[in-house]
Amino acid sequence: MESRVLTGGAPAIRGGLPLLRKPAAVMKFTTAATCGINRDFPAGAVTAKPVGPLIAGPNLIWGRQLRPAILLETSPKRESIKPCSAAASSSAGSSDSSGDVKVGFFNKATLTTGFFFFMWYFLNVIFNILNKKIYNYFPYPYFVSVIHLAVGVVYCLVSWGVGLPKRAPIDSTQLKLLTPVAFCHALGHVTSNVSFAAVAVSFTHTVKALEPFFNAAASQFILGQQIPLALWLSLAPVVLGVSMASLTELSFNWLGFTSAMISNISFTYRSIYSKKAMTDMDSTNVYAYISIIALIFCLPPAIFIEGPQLLQHGFNDAIAKVGLTKFVTDLFWVGMFYHLYNQVATNTLERVAPLTHAVGNVLKRVFVIGFSIVIFGNKISTQTGIGTCIAIAGVAIYSFIKAKMEEEKRQKKAA
């Protein structure tokens, strides 16, 4: 509310009525922006008739507190003052008609969340396709894993340099908490890439569908959390489906299968340590620090395991097959897509409920498996196809049950 103090001694009298003047050429009646009137009146055209006794003195407070005791007599057409609630409801209705806020499914928030999901899936599919194409002419997963993380780290450093986002400081305590998370992230990432290089992308993602099983086992036997029987039963089709797909997968080999299983275990421990490493940082800064530490962990095995081969013939063979320009640009873009899809996935999952999160993860795996089969023309047996569908269905059931449990737990805490 805007209040004005009119000074200058006793008010002037015209026709026996006190005349309230404002020095400026225009006098305004104002109150709270959502509840009052804002009209312009010529100076000197407003008179006020006292209904009760006025407090003597040279100063009058011009504002809402005088309105109950003063009636406007000669002002232009008056407007009634609307209560705040009425004004708010009127404003809400008008915003509907003006198009600022739309009620229904196609509102701004829903469309924004849908865009985030689309970008998450799109970037993930492009990463998997480009990653596998690189392995077809450059089968060095340890070095490629380093490139993934290195490009992401450079991206984070540049982002910090321009202040988008602002870098959050890190102390020794936070570093100790994030280091185990980063180690598990590095191990899971490298073993995933070893599996991608060894077998078909669709098969690796089918095996990685077992990750909820390892999460449940870790929660039960390591964290001591009681897992309901319904949740365990929902994992049975996951195990069955992966087993069926593995038995008849044409690209099956033990290196690819074992690496995917180690990746599942690593990401399970990453989840456990992440719960213990809750910090005050935002997710973007946390992921940046984890990427930097994970890169440090990935460098030694890449140097000692693949370094001699790369220097002898690895780089030369790749350049001879596709050329230096394509080789370098492929490595750069696969690193960018890896970092961006992880970052967008984090931003997406922060915007949605646990159930939507669970469904989104399942659909993402379906998209990746489907697109990889189409792009690379991988031939799969009927039993492999059925097993993959059973495994994905089991993951969907598990995710649904767990999300409902989390929602019920959250509602109980809120109550």
Side-chain angles (χ1 to χ4, degrees), residues 272-289:
I272 293 173
Y273 286 118
S274 294
K275 293 179 181 179
K276 298 180 180 180
M278 295 298 179
T279 67
D280 294 332
M281 293 184 203
D282 60 281
S283 59
T284 303
N285 275 288
V286 169
Y287 183 68
Y289 282 118

Side-chain angles (χ1 to χ4, degrees), residues 136-150:
N136 288 336
Y137 68 83
F138 187 69
Y140 296 95
Y142 290 89
F143 179 79
V144 174
S145 299
V146 168
I147 295 297
H148 291 166
L149 294 170

Side-chain angles (χ1 to χ4, degrees), residues 62-349:
W62 185 268
R64 175 182 284 177
Q65 56 265 50
L66 287 186
R67 285 198 177 101
I70 297 178
L71 296 178
L72 301 179
E73 198 172 63
T74 60
S75 63
K77 182 179 179 181
R78 291 184 293 152
E79 294 184 10
S80 60
I81 301 176
K82 295 180 180 180
C84 289
S85 58
S89 60
S90 172
S91 173
S94 64
S95 64
D96 249 359
S97 59
S98 65
D100 291 339
V101 179
K102 293 182 179 180
V103 178
F105 181 77
F106 293 103
N107 53 47
K108 185 177 180 181
T110 304
L111 293 176
T112 302
T113 303
F115 174 76
F116 270 92
F117 268 100
F118 170 78
M119 291 303 299
W120 176 24
Y121 290 4
F122 173 76
L123 294 171
N124 189 268
V125 168
I126 296 299
F127 162 74
N128 279 275
I129 292 174
L130 182 57
N131 202 42
K132 185 61 178 179
K133 285 185 175 181
I134 290 174
Y135 288 135
N136 288 336
Y137 68 83
F138 187 69
Y140 296 95
Y142 290 89
F143 179 79
V144 174
S145 299
V146 168
I147 295 297
H148 291 166
L149 294 170
V151 173
V153 167
V154 172
Y155 178 89
C156 292
L157 294 177
V158 172
S159 300
W160 280 341
V162 299
L164 294 173
K166 186 177 180 181
R167 186 182 72 85
I170 186 171
D171 55 28
S172 58
T173 302
Q174 292 172 325
L175 184 62
K176 290 178 181 178
L177 291 173
L178 291 178
T179 298
V181 181
F183 174 78
C184 294
H185 179 70
L187 180 60
H189 179 54
V190 169
T191 50
S192 291
N193 279 290
V194 171
S195 181
F196 285 137
V199 295
V201 174
S202 57
F203 178 65
T204 299
H205 277 278
T206 302
V207 176
K208 285 174 69 65
L210 281 172
E211 191 173 328
F213 174 82
F214 288 97
N215 281 330
S219 298
Q220 176 89 38
F221 302 111
I222 298 178
L223 297 180
Q225 299 175 356
Q226 190 64 33
I227 303 299
L229 179 61
L231 211 57
W232 281 113
L233 292 177
S234 69
L235 290 170
V238 181
V239 178
L240 175 63
V242 172
S243 301
M244 289 178 60
S246 301
L247 290 174
T248 55
E249 170 59 38
L250 300 179
S251 67
F252 176 87
N253 64 58
W254 283 107
L255 176 62
F257 178 80
T258 306
S259 298
M261 294 293 283
I262 295 175
S263 175
N264 285 334
I265 298 172
S266 300
F267 286 138
T268 297
Y269 275 93
R270 184 186 65 176
S271 300
I272 293 173
Y273 286 118
S274 294
K275 293 179 181 179
K276 298 180 180 180
M278 295 298 179
T279 67
D280 294 332
M281 293 184 203
D282 60 281
S283 59
T284 303
N285 275 288
V286 169
Y287 183 68
Y289 282 118
I290 288 176
S291 297
I292 294 172
I293 303 171
L295 176 60
I296 298 173
F297 282 122
C298 288
L299 279 171
I303 294 172
F304 290 107
I305 296 175
E306 294 179 344
Q309 300 176 29
L310 289 172
L311 293 176
Q312 289 177 7
H313 56 81
F315 291 125
N316 293 332
D317 290 348
I319 294 172
K321 290 178 182 178
V322 298
L324 178 62
T325 302
K326 179 172 173 54
F327 178 54
V328 174
T329 54
D330 279 355
L331 290 178
F332 169 77
W333 283 114
V334 77
M336 280 298 296
F337 280 117
Y338 171 76
H339 180 82
L340 290 176
Y341 106 73
N342 277 286
Q343 190 61 67
V344 173
T346 303
N347 297 334
T348 303
L349 301 182

Side-chain angles (χ1 to χ4, degrees), residues 25-37:
V26 175
M27 182 177 294
K28 289 186 177 181
F29 289 80
T30 59
T31 181
T34 56
C35 310
I37 309 171

